[in-house]
Amino acid sequence: MDDQTVSKLFVNGRIYQDAVRRVRNLLVEDDHVAAVDVDPSNHTDAEVVDLDGNTLYPGFCDSHVHLVESALMFSGVDLRGDNNVESIVQAVKTAISEHPDEDPFFGGGFSLDDYDSWSLNDLKKLDDVTGTRIVLLGDDLGHNLIVNSAAMKKAELSKHLDDVPAGGKVVLQEGKPTGMLREEAMTLAGIPLLPLFTDASIQPGTQKFMNLWAQMGYTGIVDLMGAPIGRILHAEMCREMERKGLLPLRVNYNYTFFGLEDLDGGLNEMGKDTDLVRFVGNKLFVDGAYAGGEAWTTWENKQGNHGLHTVTAGDSMGKNQNIYRIVDRLEEVGLNCHYHIQGDEALNVTLDALEAAAARKGGLRCLHTLIHLAFPRPDQMQRINKLNNKVVSTVQPGFWKAEEGLDRYYGEANDASYPIKELMEAGISTGMSTDFGVSPLELSAPTEIMSISMLGGGSARTPLTMQDVIRGLTQGSAATTGHNDVGALYPGMKADMVRFERDLYDANPDKLATDPPKVLETWISGKKVVIPASHK
């Protein structure tokens, strides 16, 4: 054995290689699993890690989350619970008085019953407390943005009112923008203004959220580093955190793009991977926010429409928004892609394009990850399954709880939305994720996901088993990254692990939310994650 090799032998606990298979012990060398069920007498030079009867699992990965974006969104003011003009303006006024410099200001988390009702009078109220300072306020869905007049001026919004991006809307009153930008129209402010927010302003919040995710038991995330507002791409910031020993998670990230014209930008992220920060492909929004009634469906929703879409099957919205051209280009240049898809029509057009590309080339070259999937039909699930594991999914069980009461948009269909068990039973590789930043923090812990999943989301949904959820958080989530060195503890794979005080399989589902097994520690690439007390 090389003198430089650092060996650790994990013993005296329940050790799971995957969601099912258990081993007596686990030998880790440097950053990877070297062997299992070894004879300890042959490894007397290894450091013994006594699990003291605790349970060790492959590391859990949150395969769709917005930690970097949330760090930006809440860098100025947390607007969660502020759901009317007066409370939003008052919260901003208070926060700005506590941050008196002239740097651009971002707040987030508000919610409105009617976003289109934001008026010129409301804009004036915001301007009165923000003055000439650039202010952006994102909603709790991440799909709507309020900007003040100073921000509109800096972004030169008035020059783009006749060129609003596909799927977006600038709310107008008397022909004038009120400062409310919806869906892809957010890019009109985001693209010119997001670069004003520096790593220095975002890194503290990013550190806080990542530390929290590690403490909840995650060893990895897929951070989209983008939203309808634009790219919030701070991968190099994360690499600097890694170099300083501050990164408590394995960070997989995406390059958000909005059409054919900016798709190739993802190529610039290739070749930059470090051990803990890895590019996993592009990200495209196909339809709108489910909780905003914007899932693109074949059937008419309660608002009398079919939702919102940003792409089409042809050139009716221009070549830039043709999903066939987009998929063909992704395949041509070798870029994996994650797709925001809620409605069954959004899934239809995406599958049509994927199947057409596969037919022309004898199969798909890249990995395509479908995110959310509120209304996939059984026939669509079978179509996904036939694409030979080149199309996978990540879903959010927390939505069963977070998105209750949306029958006002979708009627009875809302009760059976997000059929996660059915996706799994159809043979589709299915990761588990939180979509935090959209879904609330209190629904983000792995044990909370387990509780919601196993207790079910009402009579119209099929509960999951503990094995389903653990597989989803490990191998299912790993599958969305395109990397085959994480997700299990097989020899040769990265030693990413989470240690619980007791076996999750022994936990009572009814008590998972109130008395969950405690997370004792996490390990990434064979190293124990240590969070300084000052960062907790």
Side-chain angles (χ1 to χ4, degrees):
M1 183 180 293
D2 188 324
D3 290 341
Q4 301 302 311
T5 299
V6 177
S7 300
K8 298 181 179 69
L9 184 61
F10 292 78
V11 301
N12 190 27
R14 293 187 182 183
I15 301 173
Y16 287 86
Q17 276 191 292
D18 53 33
V20 178
R21 191 175 311 163
R22 279 170 54 182
V23 295
R24 294 191 309 276
N25 56 45
L26 183 83
L27 180 67
V28 171
E29 293 181 353
D30 294 330
D31 65 347
H32 65 279
V33 176
V36 298
D37 290 334
V38 301
D39 182 347
S41 66
N42 294 330
H43 299 276
T44 56
D45 57 341
E47 174 191 347
V48 174
V49 180
D50 186 351
L51 295 174
D52 195 27
N54 304 139
T55 305
L56 196 69
Y57 300 92
F60 292 169
C61 177
D62 184 347
S63 48
H64 181 86
V65 68
H66 304 273
L67 299 189
V68 173
E69 301 92 307
S70 295
L72 169 64
M73 179 178 291
F74 301 124
S75 61
V77 60
D78 185 345
L79 295 174
R80 286 174 290 187
D82 292 308
N83 302 327
N84 58 64
V85 177
E86 287 70 26
S87 62
I88 292 170
V89 170
Q90 183 57 51
V92 170
K93 179 181 180 180
T94 300
I96 281 186
S97 69
E98 297 170 353
H99 300 83
D101 54 55
E102 288 301 312
D103 289 341
F105 181 92
F106 209 118
F110 73 88
S111 178
L112 296 175
D113 289 334
D114 183 3
Y115 289 89
D116 290 339
S117 68
W118 185 267
S119 67
L120 291 173
N121 186 50
D122 299 329
L123 173 63
K124 183 179 183 306
K125 293 177 182 177
L126 181 62
D127 286 344
D128 286 344
V129 301
T130 58
T132 60
R133 191 169 183 180
I134 293 171
V135 172
L136 296 83
L137 307 174
D139 79 329
D140 62 346
L141 304 176
H143 286 250
N144 298 280
L145 181 73
I146 297 171
V147 293
N148 68 348
S149 292
M152 285 192 279
K153 180 179 179 180
K154 180 69 174 179
E156 299 184 317
L157 182 66
S158 61
K159 295 182 179 180
H160 302 285
L161 297 182
D162 295 326
D163 189 28
V164 177
K169 180 180 181 180
V170 176
V171 176
L172 302 174
Q173 182 181 354
E174 300 172 2
K176 300 176 182 178
T178 66
M180 176 65 75
L181 308 178
R182 308 200 61 186
E183 295 291 347
E184 265 61 19
M186 296 167 67
T187 60
L188 297 176
I191 290 176
L193 300 181
L194 285 177
L196 301 177
F197 295 88
T198 64
D199 286 354
S201 66
I202 296 172
Q203 194 270 338
T206 300
Q207 185 78 66
K208 180 186 74 172
F209 284 125
M210 288 188 178
N211 288 347
L212 180 57
W213 253 242
Q215 291 169 321
M216 289 193 292
Y218 291 105
T219 60
I221 59 173
V222 178
D223 195 304
L224 282 297
M225 292 200 188
I229 190 175
R231 285 180 286 279
I232 306 171
L233 196 59
H234 292 267
E236 190 54 38
M237 176 189 74
C238 294
R239 293 190 181 101
E240 181 62 21
M241 292 168 65
E242 178 184 5
R243 286 188 285 271
K244 292 180 177 179
L246 297 175
L247 197 64
L249 299 169
R250 186 178 300 282
V251 177
N252 306 281
Y253 72 95
N254 293 92
Y255 172 89
T256 299
F257 74 110
F258 298 94
L260 197 61
E261 292 174 356
D262 61 338
L263 179 156
D264 284 8
L267 296 172
N268 297 325
E269 297 304 311
M270 290 184 165
K272 299 180 180 179
D273 289 357
T274 56
D275 181 33
L276 298 187
V277 183
R278 308 199 282 196
F279 174 60
V280 296
N282 282 18
K283 160 69 186 298
L284 177 70
F285 289 90
V286 176
D287 60 355
Y290 182 86
E294 296 167 342
W296 187 16
T297 56
T298 56
W299 38 273
E300 187 175 283
N301 60 34
K302 289 288 187 178
Q303 299 176 101
N305 60 56
H306 296 268
L308 176 151
H309 59 96
T310 65
V311 299
T312 61
D315 289 342
S316 61
M317 295 170 68
K319 293 181 180 180
N320 192 51
Q321 309 308 131
N322 185 325
I323 188 65
Y324 283 79
R325 296 180 186 273
I326 289 170
V327 168
D328 285 348
R329 182 61 181 171
L330 290 166
E331 287 285 309
E332 178 185 352
V333 299
L335 279 167
N336 297 340
C337 191
H338 291 218
Y339 304 81
H340 169 109
I341 293 174
Q342 294 283 14
D344 63 331
E345 183 62 5
L347 183 54
N348 260 344
V349 298
T350 305
L351 288 177
D352 287 347
L354 290 168
E355 289 167 342
R360 281 192 297 275
K361 299 293 184 178
L364 293 172
R365 171 188 180 190
C366 299
L367 178 70
H368 301 268
T369 300
L370 312 177
I371 309 167
H372 305 313
L373 299 180
F375 297 122
R377 304 190 307 264
D379 64 293
Q380 293 173 322
M381 296 182 196
Q382 293 305 315
R383 292 170 65 188
I384 295 171
N385 195 37
K386 290 178 180 178
L387 288 167
N388 299 321
N389 290 322
K390 286 295 186 178
V391 179
V392 300
S393 69
T394 180
V395 296
Q396 300 77 40
F399 282 0
W400 286 0
K401 193 169 185 178
E403 298 191 343
E404 293 175 335
L406 294 180
D407 51 317
R408 67 182 184 275
Y409 295 135
Y410 306 109
E412 293 181 358
N414 183 64
D415 297 335
S417 60
Y418 305 107
I420 300 169
K421 183 71 170 181
E422 288 73 12
L423 287 168
M424 291 182 158
E425 290 179 339
I428 299 166
S429 178
T430 304
M432 297 284 169
S433 48
T434 64
D435 201 13
F436 169 71
V438 175
S439 187
L441 180 63
E442 58 266 25
L443 302 183
S444 297
T447 49
E448 183 65 28
I449 293 174
M450 293 165 187
S451 174
I452 295 169
S453 301
M454 296 174 71
L455 296 179
S459 60
R461 294 190 178 108
T462 307
L464 308 185
T465 66
M466 179 62 78
Q467 182 176 311
D468 290 333
V469 183
I470 292 178
R471 180 179 289 116
L473 287 168
T474 55
Q475 289 166 299
S477 285
T480 72
T481 70
H483 294 286
N484 59 10
D485 60 352
V486 290
L489 295 176
Y490 303 146
M493 300 182 75
K494 295 286 189 181
D496 292 2
M497 303 169 286
V498 55
R499 178 179 176 182
F500 279 83
E501 64 169 349
R502 51 193 169 92
D503 198 333
L504 292 165
Y505 283 101
D506 294 339
N508 183 338
D510 291 320
K511 295 183 178 180
L512 271 170
T514 57
D515 185 28
K518 291 183 175 63
V519 176
L520 300 180
E521 60 192 23
T522 57
W523 297 69
I524 307 175
S525 283
K527 296 180 180 178
K528 183 178 176 180
V529 173
V530 178
I531 299 173
S534 60
H535 288 180
K536 291 182 180 179

